[in-house]
Amino acid sequence: MKNPKFGIVVFPGSNCDHDAFYSLSKVLGYETTFIWHKDTDLKDSDVIILPGGFSYGDYLRSGAIARFSPIMDSVISFANKGGYVIGICNGFQILVEAGMLPGILLKNISLQFVCKDVYLSIENNDCNFTRGIEEEKILKIPIAHGDGNYFADEDTLKKLEDNNQVVFRYTHPDGTISDNYNPNGSANDIAGIINKEGNVMGMMPHPERSCDPVLSKTDGSLIFKALVNNILN
Amino acid sequence: MYKVKVLIKRRTSILDPQGKAVEIGAKNLGIKNIKNTRIGKYIEFDVDTTNKSTAEEEVNNYCKKLLANPIMEDFEFTLDEVK
């Protein structure tokens, strides 16, 4: 089987679409294409990326309007058939607004836009986005967001934990998890989750910004490589 | 036609850091007795129908499916007939 093809959806206001394209195609060598949000054709993509940015200027709520873009009906039916979808930052916000993942992303508890490297523990290393990454590996990946404070009611949080749907948590570089290392106030230090079926993942950190060795960090590439390997096998 | 005014409030169970930050401004201004500042949204628009129940149904749909996110927000609205 040939390597999976990545499709990056471009919404008005997306600004990490080219970063994702560069990392996936130029750094990692995967076939990658842009998909305009007004189209409905996913161009035979095997993995859909909803990139970071400020779709529709974050009007009303982050991601609230992008979910009504024509492409989203195609993305939802693709996901319902088991297709892989990764929402990064604003992409994660779009996934929760579209009801493809539970919860919501509130304003950071500090009220500040936070842009820095964070450390992530892999809480679920048995999903297709992480299986194969070295056990106990702590990923160094940057965040850049104002609305990244993951919130869900207690029942939903319990279900996420019980079903092993929390994929990444904010942590200290040595793996200690505590609120001190939580940059935005997220419930249970959640940085990324998957749906119950395991094919839709949303995360606030930007793996596409830590792929190129010239940037001195490459841990984000481990997620894309793991997914490709797990799809091929 | 109906003129609609929608008030969207963050659920009381959810912290409102924006309200808290704004309240610090009140203290800095020397306005001493301000408490429990919470920030929401006010939205107004028209519904172009003469049927009140149709108008209410459309406004409800608009609020539930787009203007408010029920995970974190509650909404209320008023309809005023415009002749």
Side-chain angles (χ1 to χ4, degrees), chain A residues 6-173:
Chain A
F6 286 81
I8 301 166
V9 179
V10 181
F11 296 97
S14 295
N15 67 5
C16 299
D17 43 348
H18 283 265
D19 290 9
F21 186 90
Y22 172 80
S23 291
L24 290 165
S25 66
K26 305 279 189 244
V27 180
L28 298 173
Y30 302 133
E31 188 183 357
T32 308
T33 184
F34 286 118
I35 300 168
W36 180 235
H37 77 115
K38 282 196 173 166
D39 292 341
T40 51
D41 177 12
L42 298 178
K43 298 184 181 173
D44 295 323
S45 304
D46 302 294
V47 182
I48 293 296
I49 306 272
L50 304 183
F54 300 87
S55 56
Y56 292 90
D58 274 353
Y59 296 158
L60 198 62
R61 295 178 306 277
S62 310
I65 312 206
R67 65 170 271 222
F68 296 104
S69 279
I71 196 68
M72 286 306 293
D73 283 340
S74 309
V75 172
I76 290 168
S77 58
F78 172 75
N80 287 342
K81 286 181 217 142
Y84 291 98
V85 179
I86 306 178
I88 300 167
C89 196
N90 189 224
F92 187 9
Q93 294 160 343
I94 296 168
L95 288 176
V96 296
E97 281 286 347
M100 294 171 73
L101 288 174
I104 186 87
L105 292 137
L106 303 173
K107 197 165 278 301
N108 293 348
I109 198 123
S110 65
L111 282 178
Q112 288 172 340
F113 188 95
V114 182
C115 183
K116 64 176 185 182
D117 288 336
V118 295
Y119 296 89
L120 305 176
S121 66
I122 302 171
E123 297 291 308
N124 175 347
N125 50 19
D126 194 28
C127 70
N128 281 333
F129 300 96
T130 55
R131 192 182 312 110
I133 300 178
E134 186 190 330
E135 294 255 337
E136 314 286 317
K137 173 86 181 158
I138 301 294
L139 305 177
K140 179 184 174 187
I141 296 182
I143 52 166
H145 60 246
D147 295 350
N149 176 357
Y150 184 79
F151 171 85
D153 61 43
E154 276 182 28
D155 276 359
T156 307
L157 283 175
K158 187 172 180 310
K159 276 186 201 145
L160 283 174
E161 299 286 358
D162 290 350
N163 297 333
N164 221 5
Q165 287 174 254
V166 176
V167 184
F168 302 114
R169 264 189 249 274
Y170 299 109
T171 176
H172 182 269

